[in-house]
Amino acid sequence: KYENLFHFAIKLGGAAKKMGKKPVLFIIAAERLLPDVVNKYYSELSDIFIFTADYKKQLQLEDKYAQIENAIDAGIDTPFSIKIKSTEETAKYKNSLIFPLLVKANKGKDFYDEFGTQVFRAKNYEELVEIVRRVGKYELLVQEEVPGAIEDLKTLGSYFGRNHQPHGIFTGHKIRISRDYGTCSLGISSKNDEVIEKGTAFLKSVNYFGASQVEFMRDA
């Protein structure tokens, strides 16, 4: 469904290249474009454009469970997390689960398109089983909920070069969100050295360059 966008990009980039310019492809906050355009047409696009990020790496990092594993490798505290796809798999963890739990798709945006939310919250095992039964056609990430106010959700926005040197750093936190577990509708900048340190450690551990946003929830 993004065929027209791909052809438009190729046409525009090709025209710039004929004029002696170096066209640059900059994609951010567009998860749907990564598998359907960038990854599918990677060789064609890379022949014309300079990429400002490692888009193949971005696609790999859409796997939320892989992000957790990478964070652990980088020495960053993470909530209890399991990857499941059925109520039978859920039963294996029954005695080790800590409620409340958050249930979300492990990757992609189809889950949100179908259910109108990114996260379901289970207060007990029975609710978890019912949620998994309802949404279990997706590969799910089930996570311990980290308690805290919206202000405890800290963010690192950055642009790192290929040598992992930061060319731009921003830290802040949310003040208001569009809905529970929703997008930030009002935020504020606030310097946070711990967020910079841990976010940078994560990005270096996955060998990432380009623009990114890494979020942390502070557990009081």
Side-chain angles (χ1 to χ4, degrees):
K1 61 184 177 180
Y2 295 103
E3 292 285 332
N4 290 340
L5 178 61
F6 162 69
H7 292 299
F8 173 76
I10 290 292
K11 182 178 179 180
L12 190 63
K17 201 168 184 179
K18 286 180 180 178
M19 296 170 62
K21 307 293 184 182
K22 292 184 177 180
V24 176
L25 188 65
F26 184 83
I27 299 175
I28 192 166
E31 293 95 330
R32 291 178 176 88
L33 293 179
L34 292 176
D36 293 333
V37 177
V38 179
N39 194 50
K40 186 176 180 180
Y41 301 110
Y42 194 90
S43 60
E44 292 94 329
L45 291 167
S46 59
D47 283 343
I48 294 177
F49 291 96
I50 298 171
F51 288 172
T52 62
D54 186 343
Y55 294 122
K56 286 191 173 182
K57 179 68 70 174
Q58 275 193 22
L59 192 59
Q60 292 173 11
L61 290 174
E62 281 201 345
D63 186 316
K64 297 181 179 69
Y65 191 75
Q67 289 186 35
I68 291 292
E69 292 180 317
N70 287 320
I72 292 171
D73 290 342
I76 297 169
D77 293 332
T78 62
F80 169 83
S81 305
I82 55 174
K83 187 168 58 172
I84 61 174
K85 200 175 180 181
S86 68
T87 53
E88 290 76 19
E89 289 183 23
T90 306
K92 298 177 185 177
Y93 300 96
K94 184 175 182 179
N95 295 325
S96 59
L97 299 175
I98 304 169
F99 292 93
L101 287 170
L102 303 180
V103 183
K104 61 188 83 171
N106 190 46
K107 63 176 70 174
K109 288 293 185 181
D110 291 342
F111 182 96
Y112 176 79
D113 292 341
E114 181 170 353
F115 300 110
T117 184
Q118 298 186 97
V119 179
F120 287 102
R121 186 175 186 266
K123 297 190 292 293
N124 52 54
Y125 181 74
E126 289 70 26
E127 286 189 2
L128 174 63
V129 170
E130 180 55 35
I131 292 169
V132 173
R133 182 178 291 116
R134 180 184 173 195
V135 304
K137 71 177 183 180
Y138 295 97
E139 183 179 63
L140 301 172
L141 182 69
V142 176
Q143 285 187 306
E144 170 191 2
E145 181 183 57
V146 180
I150 188 61
E151 293 84 2
D152 294 319
L153 187 60
K154 311 296 184 180
T155 186
L156 168 69
S158 65
Y159 189 93
F160 280 79
R162 292 176 186 267
N163 58 357
H164 303 301
Q165 291 301 308
H167 297 299
I169 289 285
F170 165 87
T171 54
H173 62 265
K174 296 178 180 180
I175 296 175
R176 187 188 305 147
I177 53 177
S178 57
R179 60 189 177 282
D180 287 345
Y181 312 110
T183 303
C184 175
S185 57
L186 183 64
I188 187 170
S189 62
S190 55
K191 188 176 180 182
N192 191 312
D193 291 333
E194 184 181 12
V195 168
I196 294 173
E197 178 188 348
K198 293 188 174 182
T200 299
F202 174 79
L203 292 169
K204 286 184 176 180
S205 74
V206 297
N207 198 32
Y208 185 81
F209 73 87
S212 67
Q213 181 178 1
V214 182
E215 292 185 337
F216 298 90
M217 188 67 179
R218 178 178 293 281
D219 187 336

